Amino acid sequence: MGLLTTLNEAVDRVAMHAVRRVLVEAQALAAGLPLWPVPLPWPCSNAEYEQRMSAVVGRARDEGITEMAFGDLFLEEVRDYRIRQLAGTGVEPLFPLWSSAADTPNLARRMLNGGLRAVLTCVDPRQLPESFVGRRYDAALLADLPPGADPCGERGEFHTYCFGGPMFASEIAVGVGETVRRDGFCFADVLPGGSPNPAGFCRAGS
């Protein structure tokens, strides 16, 4: 029925991932599904987040949607939160990738073997070296991850933008522009057109 994502309405980018809205729209087009954007103010309180999510869940219910799928992998507190938020709404939460921390290395390999192509848009330098931002998500990156880092970034080590895979009718052309350090995180600006930079770097910026 559609792809749902939250957007920082102050900068028109995906919250936390910092991906431009135009690139999320390109994903929806390539997947053949409508985009359901949820604009969030910045800064955004948890109460405001829940109010806006409740509104979009109500819209989904009114349109006959009965299930909402999430990409959570093994963080029980996140799963429990989503279940609580959807309780009594008539929309059931689904977790098709739910597994365990021990299963994510195999999941990462399966995704890459299946044709997934992505680039790291955000890195938490407390968990991962800054040099990872802007890099392609590939076998070389997995091999370079430090011990303890989840290969799917489930603990917030990194966030990605997917630009190719079997879920898309065609690959989305992207490139990596400026990278900056902001609010304690390192971000790479993914741009429409070109091809992702295989290296990537991080420098101070606003």
Side-chain angles (χ1 to χ4, degrees), residues 155-194:
R155 299 185 184 92
E157 295 93 337
F158 59 86
H159 299 282
T160 62
Y161 175 77
C162 296
F163 60 89
M167 63 286 197
F168 293 149
S170 60
E171 188 171 296
I172 301 163
V174 296
V176 176
E178 183 181 26
T179 60
V180 299
R181 183 81 175 264
R182 185 174 59 250
D183 300 326
F185 293 89
C186 192
F187 297 94
D189 190 12
V190 180
L191 305 169

Side-chain angles (χ1 to χ4, degrees), residues 59-80:
R59 172 193 163 194
R61 182 189 59 242
D62 292 344
E63 294 191 18
I65 294 172
T66 58
E67 298 166 328
M68 184 179 292
F70 298 91
D72 301 301
L73 302 180
F74 60 76
L75 296 179
E76 293 281 356
E77 64 274 20
V78 177
R79 176 181 171 134
D80 291 346

Side-chain angles (χ1 to χ4, degrees), residues 27 111-120 135-138 160-168 171-174 194-196:
Q27 287 178 320
M111 290 192 294
L112 291 175
N113 291 339
L116 178 78
R117 305 190 71 194
V119 59
L120 271 62
R135 284 184 58 175
R136 286 179 186 248
Y137 183 75
D138 55 17
T160 62
Y161 175 77
C162 296
F163 60 89
M167 63 286 197
F168 293 149
E171 188 171 296
I172 301 163
V174 296
S195 59

Side-chain angles (χ1 to χ4, degrees), residues 127-141:
Q127 303 188 69
L128 205 62
E130 297 176 356
S131 58
F132 277 82
V133 74
R135 284 184 58 175
R136 286 179 186 248
Y137 183 75
D138 55 17
L141 182 137

Side-chain angles (χ1 to χ4, degrees), residues 1-6 33 36 49 53 56-57 60 65-73 78-79 82-83 86 89-98:
M1 294 293 294
L3 301 174
L4 186 148
T5 192
T6 56
L33 292 168
W36 286 46
Y49 168 79
M53 286 297 295
V56 79
V57 169
I65 294 172
T66 58
E67 298 166 328
M68 184 179 292
F70 298 91
D72 301 301
L73 302 180
V78 177
R79 176 181 171 134
R82 302 199 196 284
I83 292 173
L86 288 178
T89 66
V91 178
E92 178 187 358
L94 300 179
F95 303 91
L97 298 177
W98 189 256

Side-chain angles (χ1 to χ4, degrees), residues 50 102 123 139 154 196 202:
E50 291 180 355
V123 162
E154 180 68 349
C202 182

